[in-house]
Amino acid sequence: MRMGAYTGRESLVESRRMRILITNDDGADAPGLEALLEALHPRFEIAVVAPDGERSAVSHAVTFRRPIHAAKIDRPYPFFAVDGTPADCVKLAVQALLPWRPDLVLSGINRGVNVGNDVLYSGTVAGALEGAMQGLPAMAVSLDFRRAPDFAPAARFSAALLARLETAPLSPGIALNVNLPDLDPSDYRGILWTHQRGCLYSDTFTRKLTPDGRSEYFLDGEVQSAECLDPGSDGRAVLDGYVSITPLGFDLTSVPDLGTLPAAFPPLDEILGD
Ligand code: MN
């Protein structure tokens, strides 16, 4: 993803800072975002387009039945708070708000990991995947926390990782899903390249009765122990103290089944003949 590489004349191209569009799903005033801005500015050329409030677990939802508004926030770089989802923010940023096309879309730092099946619910990951859909390299960063979350070291690590990515062969259409353990980066055990696999939370519902006698339900999952999760999975890696990185695409096709299922199904005229 070396900037200017497309010219084939890098040495002649005046170098510029990497342009990063930042979004999240915890909201424009979230501490994970603020820590990231502090670590990235002014080393990188940044712009922020983030939801104007909490949008966790909205997945890849988009808004089109009502208008979307972008409130400009006074910062030394472009900063907009949008009354939409993370996917809205990235679409709007790339298509309408930004003065430049980003070199990378960065989503985070999320308060809590996004691993296994939960990746499908995550607004943080959706922000990065929307960047991938816009043809841009992208990365989501999420921080595990069992203590009070300390985003500053995670943000400094993210900045160091981004600096390395400037020369990495990061494909447009792929988002890196990075999950950081609840440790100081000097205590990380290493980086594991992982599969998105398994389920970190067990699904449980708490039932309560309202004063007028109706039942209401609260989704209230419990965290599984690390041993329940596959070695090689994103959740296991991060609970074991590793930085987990999973390259994600947005084509959900099960390629092995596409190879085997057609032979197991009758042709159309047989189905119509039934
Ligand atoms: Mn969140």
Side-chain angles (χ1 to χ4, degrees):
M1 204 189 58
R2 186 187 293 273
M3 290 172 305
Y6 56 89
T7 67
R9 297 185 301 146
E10 286 158 65
S11 57
L12 302 179
V13 176
E14 196 180 327
S15 70
R16 59 164 174 82
R17 291 174 300 165
M18 189 182 186
R19 290 172 172 162
I20 301 176
L21 165 63
I22 301 164
T23 193
N24 75 351
D25 78 352
D26 293 339
D29 60 353
L33 175 65
E34 202 53 54
L36 204 49
L37 300 183
E38 222 154 274
L40 297 186
H41 177 76
R43 182 174 181 182
F44 300 94
E45 186 166 2
I46 61 172
V48 183
V49 182
D52 61 5
E54 170 75 45
R55 300 291 191 285
S56 290
V58 300
S59 188
H60 212 118
V62 287
T63 306
F64 59 88
R65 295 187 190 283
R66 61 164 177 84
I68 304 172
H69 306 90
K72 202 167 186 320
I73 312 268
D74 188 28
R75 294 284 180 111
Y77 38 81
F79 192 135
F80 296 90
V82 171
D83 59 349
T85 66
D88 289 331
C89 289
V90 173
K91 275 187 204 296
L92 190 66
V94 172
Q95 302 298 338
L97 293 178
L98 293 192
W100 33 255
R101 187 165 166 84
D103 296 310
L104 182 132
V105 176
L106 178 61
S107 186
I109 297 174
N110 189 60
R111 189 174 188 279
V113 290
N114 281 302
V115 294
N117 295 356
D118 285 339
V119 164
L120 291 172
Y121 309 126
S122 168
T124 304
V125 173
L129 279 177
E130 183 58 41
M133 287 184 184
Q134 299 286 332
L136 297 164
M139 182 164 95
V141 182
S142 305
L143 174 66
D144 188 23
F145 64 94
R146 255 74 50 94
R147 306 160 296 178
D150 184 1
F151 290 104
R156 286 194 293 273
F157 177 79
S158 303
L161 188 59
L162 277 172
R164 296 288 174 162
L165 285 179
E166 284 193 55
T167 53
L170 200 55
S171 316
I174 298 296
L176 296 184
N177 185 29
V178 178
N179 283 282
L180 303 175
D182 182 24
L183 297 169
D184 188 86
S186 61
D187 294 324
Y188 292 164
R189 292 175 69 188
I191 292 176
L192 288 181
W193 289 81
T194 56
H195 283 261
Q196 177 218 332
R197 187 184 289 155
C199 207
L200 185 60
Y201 295 91
S202 60
D203 276 348
T204 54
F205 281 91
T206 305
R207 191 183 133 210
K208 286 188 179 157
L209 277 181
T210 62
D212 60 350
R214 287 178 304 146
S215 293
E216 55 186 18
Y217 301 89
F218 297 87
L219 179 59
D220 185 25
E222 276 175 28
V223 181
Q224 314 262 30
S225 64
E227 296 72 45
C228 296
L229 299 165
D230 259 3
S233 69
D234 44 6
R236 177 64 179 262
V238 73
L239 290 188
D240 281 346
Y242 292 89
V243 174
S244 168
I245 309 183
T246 310
L248 298 176
F250 47 81
D251 176 352
L252 298 181
T253 311
S254 170
V255 175
D257 288 283
L258 201 56
T260 56
L261 279 177
F265 271 70
L268 177 63
D269 53 358
E270 279 183 34
I271 294 173
L272 293 175
D274 276 349

